[in-house]
Amino acid sequence: MRMTPPTKTTTDTLTVRGAHGVAVAEQAFAAFAPKIRPKLSQFMCDHARSDDGAKIRPFPFQSDLADAFTDPETAQVSVRKSSRIGYSTILQSFVAWRIKYDPARTLIYQPTIDDAEKFSKDDLDPVLQWTVVRSVATFKPRHSDNQIRAKRYKGGWIQIKGANSPKEFRRVTSDDVFLEECDGYPWASKEEGDPARLAFKRNLTSPRRFSAAGSTPKVKGFSRIDALFDQGSQEYRYVPCPHCGHVQKLVFGDGTGPGIRWAPKENPTHAWYRCENGCDIEEEHKPWMDENGEWRAHNPAAFPRHRSFHIWAAYSQHPGAAWLEIAREFMEVRKDPNLLRTFVNQVLGEAWSERGEAPEWQRLYDRREMDMQLGTPPSWAGLLIGAADVQRGGGGRIDMDIWAFGPGKKRAFVERIEVFGPISDKKTWAKLDLEVAREWLSQDGRSMRLTRVAVDSGDGENTMEIYSWARRHPGFVMAVKGRESIAAQQAIGVPTWQDVTVNGRKLKRGVRLWNIGTSMLKFELYGQLSLEKPVDGDEYPEGYIYLPNGTSDEWIKQLVAEEFKLIKLRSGGFRRKWDKTRDRNEALDNAIYARAVAISLGVDRWTNLHWTKARGDMEKPAQMPVSAPSVPKQTVTRPPPKAPAQRRQNPFTSRRR
């Protein structure tokens, strides 16, 4: 078969003459050229602006995170974060990038509708005024295309919705879905299910769908951002040590291994980072470490389809996120479980693990104070408080525990007093009157009496008898009732007046009932019981609970007779619950009520001077000697005081009728 060479083809050359012709030709060819879409990090450097108009220069860890938003191979981004790391700025910049280079239908979900409106006014509207945005879209005020929660531009739109309303998830289809602070969403949107899952369903039919979620986590085991992070690539920021070159991720630490260190211990003025190899790294090296750092995936199977990141405040170069500021904040909140929870969520970017497990009673039994005796208040005690629990079964019994309180939130168990007899019998309460009128001799020889007595009236069986006894001791006996509903707000609430006597007769302002936030006080109690006993002459930690020699194992078992549980509901939410691990828990209830009474007296705000006065250690001022007057005083005769005028009795109101 004869092969013939291919015919030679010639290409005609386009010749353009004149400057105007060159410009027209360049524009014509530019229309066929592919559009160059910069990475989001470069876009932020060129066009992003802060509220004051200054250019935004993202930190290296922010640049790598931002570029995941514009990576065509990434369909989902999840960021488990602390505050002060700039995630909101990245999201706002991506919205501007969309408008400029790739118009799309964008849904942004905030926890509530109010949050959605605030986000639109405070965060989104300034972005829409950036020069790069206004070059392709104009958002005029008071225009139908520029509403508070709905923005329209050529080729796309933006809607900001609240996750607390079921209608916000209906009749809308988008290309992008962004979840802001998804751990703050309600657990269920009525009968329709989890709001986060409903939101992600809004772009299932889009051919170029993209989803992102960023949030500070809340409760471990019930955190949406935790679950999304685990489903993704699980990327952590690894940075090198400037001294030894060892690459590691930054941790807060516990003071024994790698982590943030500071000095002095109580009021830090200097902080540094301890490397895994023992090197001490100063704050000034943080920019170099971040510049040479990298993101490493712990679940590479999900990369790059679903990229998930964890980042916390120690990486940020903002002044408010300096290692010294983190150390100071920790020292301020470390003793309060509620404040510490905020630190774990907002600074460490980690979910809070509820520590409601009961301490081991055997450990508490073994750590009893051998130099303290049952029935004797310690020398540092400033006041004694009694707490009583009334039991009708077994013939009737009243268990009253005496607690001593002192400076530094210290408290010590003094003794258990048991009064036996029928609860409806007045003689039983007369025996209790004798017990609360007792005096205790402290270790330093002081005579002490009870300041207040709390009695539990919440069982519903002995309420009327307890109210009757409390009325006979106004200002001294406090009728209390435990309520879980106020646990997150306060330890002891405002009292309410109860006006029914045992005989059914109503008395206005008869007795006051105090509501106690038992859950938060149990967390505090268990946290303080977990403190280790000091050794080698070290000082006892603040909030330490002293158990004297002679405390029975039965009483200690009652003190730790409950454990905390999180119960998941069908709606997807959860309920907190304290479950009894044994039948008797009188010691636990009494400890909680005694602590609540101490808080109502304001002991947490007492200074050393207050405690000195309470112990009676104030020295009386010496009397100044009186010198003899040089001039005798003149005697002034005063008239006797006039007798008070007799009031005329009203025959209709007086008893003499």
Side-chain angles (χ1 to χ4, degrees):
M1 183 176 180
R2 187 167 60 91
M3 300 291 294
T4 58
T7 57
K8 207 172 194 179
T9 58
T10 58
T11 304
D12 294 334
T13 303
L14 178 64
T15 304
V16 180
R17 296 180 180 179
H20 180 70
V22 172
V24 171
E26 288 179 348
Q27 293 179 1
F29 282 111
F32 296 96
K35 290 185 178 180
I36 299 176
R37 298 174 180 174
K39 293 183 178 180
L40 185 57
S41 58
Q42 184 61 47
F43 178 85
M44 294 175 65
C45 292
D46 296 339
H47 304 290
R49 297 291 184 270
S50 60
D51 293 338
D52 58 358
K55 284 188 175 182
I56 295 177
R57 298 296 182 187
F59 302 129
F61 77 86
Q62 294 174 328
S63 297
D64 296 342
L65 195 156
D67 289 343
F69 279 73
T70 53
D71 186 347
E73 297 183 357
T74 300
Q76 185 171 354
V77 173
S78 302
V79 183
R80 185 177 68 185
K81 65 183 185 66
S82 68
S83 58
R84 295 172 276 191
I85 59 97
Y87 172 79
S88 297
T89 302
I90 295 174
L91 179 61
Q92 295 163 21
S93 299
F94 181 68
V95 172
W97 184 94
R98 271 289 198 218
I99 298 174
K100 173 64 177 178
Y101 296 106
D102 191 15
R105 300 167 296 177
T106 302
L107 277 176
I108 303 176
Y109 280 95
Q110 296 288 335
T112 65
I113 294 178
D114 290 340
D115 292 331
E117 294 182 353
K118 292 178 182 177
F119 173 84
S120 176
K121 296 177 181 178
D122 301 336
D123 298 331
L124 183 58
D125 282 349
V127 173
L128 301 182
Q129 301 306 316
W130 289 357
T131 303
V132 65
V133 175
R134 298 183 66 181
S135 65
V136 294
T138 303
F139 296 90
K140 299 179 181 179
R142 298 181 181 179
H143 194 274
S144 59
D145 289 343
N146 185 20
Q147 302 176 22
I148 294 179
R149 296 198 296 125
K151 317 286 184 180
R152 291 187 176 275
Y153 61 95
K154 186 177 180 179
W157 48 256
I158 305 169
Q159 293 188 29
I160 309 100
K161 295 180 174 292
N164 61 336
S165 176
K167 66 180 182 180
E168 301 286 85
F169 303 97
R170 300 172 187 157
R171 294 183 299 185
V172 60
T173 301
S174 67
D175 302 310
D176 298 335
V177 173
F178 300 138
L179 307 186
E180 277 273 81
E181 296 298 335
C182 56
D183 270 24
Y185 293 1
W187 279 105
S189 180
K190 295 188 177 180
E191 297 84 9
E192 302 191 19
D194 180 35
R197 290 185 175 273
L198 292 175
F200 281 145
K201 298 290 185 182
R202 296 299 91 204
N203 65 350
L204 284 179
T205 59
S206 173
R208 55 191 185 107
R209 63 191 181 106
F210 177 75
S211 304
S215 178
T216 53
K218 288 191 175 181
V219 181
K220 192 174 184 61
F222 299 89
S223 170
R224 292 188 180 92
I225 198 63
D226 259 7
L228 291 172
F229 175 80
D230 292 339
Q231 295 167 11
S233 55
Q234 301 177 19
E235 298 181 43
Y236 293 88
R237 187 72 173 175
Y238 281 76
V239 294
C241 173
H243 304 297
C244 66
H246 177 66
V247 180
Q248 60 201 299
K249 62 179 181 179
L250 300 183
V251 297
F252 182 71
D254 57 1
T256 60
I260 296 178
R261 304 292 182 87
W262 59 88
K265 194 66 178 177
E266 293 298 327
N267 298 303
T269 57
H270 176 225
W272 64 96
Y273 190 86
R274 178 66 55 85
C275 168
E276 290 180 351
N277 290 339
C279 309
D280 287 337
I281 306 171
E282 296 296 333
E283 182 91 23
E284 61 187 17
H285 296 294
K286 187 193 291 187
W288 179 88
M289 296 167 65
D290 189 20
E291 184 70 30
N292 294 274
E294 62 181 1
W295 290 97
R296 292 186 178 180
H298 289 209
N299 181 27
F303 183 91
R305 182 188 58 83
H306 181 184
R307 298 189 65 181
S308 60
F309 302 87
H310 172 78
I311 190 71
W312 66 289
Y315 291 90
S316 177
Q317 298 176 37
H318 288 297
W323 293 339
L324 179 59
E325 294 300 322
I326 294 174
R328 287 173 174 170
E329 186 171 349
F330 173 73
M331 293 302 295
E332 292 174 357
V333 306
R334 72 190 190 281
K335 299 173 184 177
D336 190 325
N338 293 321
L339 298 179
L340 183 61
R341 171 177 177 169
T342 304
F343 176 84
V344 171
N345 293 157
Q346 298 291 333
V347 179
L348 303 186
E350 298 176 358
W352 172 258
S353 179
E354 298 283 9
R355 300 175 182 176
E357 299 84 2
E360 296 180 2
W361 72 268
Q362 185 66 49
R363 182 182 64 85
L364 299 176
Y365 184 82
D366 295 338
R367 74 160 208 187
R368 294 175 300 172
E369 306 294 329
M370 294 298 105
D371 58 345
M372 294 175 59
Q373 296 300 320
L374 199 65
T376 303
S379 57
W380 47 259
L383 74 160
L384 298 181
I385 293 177
D389 187 84
V390 181
Q391 303 291 332
R392 189 176 292 270
R397 185 184 75 254
I398 302 176
D399 296 326
M400 183 171 66
D401 291 336
I402 310 300
W403 283 87
F405 291 84
K409 293 186 179 180
K410 294 186 294 187
R411 49 176 155 167
F413 173 63
V414 177
E415 69 171 314
R416 161 68 63 86
I417 297 174
E418 294 181 330
V419 176
F420 295 93
I423 302 304
S424 59
D425 192 349
K426 294 183 179 180
K427 295 180 181 179
T428 304
W429 295 96
K431 296 177 186 178
L432 185 60
D433 287 338
L434 297 177
E435 296 293 343
V436 300
R438 281 177 48 190
E439 293 186 358
W440 284 262
L441 194 65
S442 65
Q443 283 183 324
D444 55 350
R446 291 178 293 116
S447 179
M448 302 183 67
R449 304 187 68 174
L450 292 176
T451 303
R452 294 282 193 281
V453 175
V455 56
D456 185 8
S457 63
D459 63 353
E461 298 179 355
N462 310 306
T463 304
M464 292 298 102
E465 288 83 359
I466 292 171
Y467 286 171
S468 179
W469 186 63
R471 284 193 193 92
R472 292 194 285 109
H473 303 280
F476 176 70
V477 174
M478 299 172 61
V480 298
K481 183 177 182 179
R483 291 186 183 275
E484 298 287 344
S485 59
I486 66 170
Q489 301 177 6
Q490 51 193 355
I492 183 168
V494 179
T496 57
W497 290 97
Q498 310 298 313
D499 60 358
V500 180
T501 66
V502 176
N503 299 325
R505 185 168 60 90
K506 290 188 176 182
L507 293 176
K508 292 184 178 179
R509 302 170 69 88
V511 67
R512 289 187 293 180
L513 176 65
W514 301 79
N515 294 320
I516 308 299
T518 56
S519 183
M520 68 180 298
L521 293 177
K522 288 175 184 177
F523 277 122
E524 181 194 53
L525 175 69
Y526 280 6
Q528 293 172 345
L529 287 174
S530 65
L531 297 175
E532 295 295 336
K533 186 176 181 179
V535 294
D536 299 332
D538 293 340
E539 294 185 359
Y540 282 84
E542 182 172 327
Y544 191 83
I545 297 178
Y546 298 78
L547 303 179
N549 183 28
T551 306
S552 66
D553 59 344
E554 169 61 26
W555 187 91
I556 296 178
K557 291 177 181 178
Q558 293 181 19
L559 186 65
V560 294
E562 294 184 14
E563 64 180 4
F564 179 79
K565 292 183 178 179
L566 287 173
I567 302 175
K568 197 162 187 177
L569 305 177
R570 292 182 178 179
S571 61
F574 66 93
R575 179 169 62 91
R576 301 181 177 189
K577 183 181 180 182
W578 286 90
D579 277 348
K580 293 172 64 174
T581 58
R582 61 195 317 272
D583 292 335
R584 296 192 60 178
N585 65 340
E586 296 92 318
L588 175 59
D589 289 342
N590 288 342
I592 294 303
Y593 295 143
R595 170 66 175 144
V597 173
I599 292 175
S600 71
L601 296 175
V603 297
D604 290 352
R605 301 186 301 273
W606 283 12
T607 63
N608 291 332
L609 181 61
H610 285 94
W611 287 110
T612 301
K613 290 181 179 180
R615 290 192 300 268
D617 296 339
M618 295 292 293
E619 296 183 359
K620 295 182 179 180
Q623 294 183 357
M624 297 295 294
V626 181
S627 58
S630 58
V631 179
K633 294 182 178 180
Q634 296 182 359
T635 304
V636 180
T637 304
R638 297 181 182 275
K642 296 182 180 180
Q646 295 290 335
R647 290 185 60 185
R648 182 178 178 182
Q649 294 182 351
N650 189 328
F652 297 99
T653 60
S654 63
R655 295 182 179 273
R656 298 181 60 185
R657 297 183 181 179

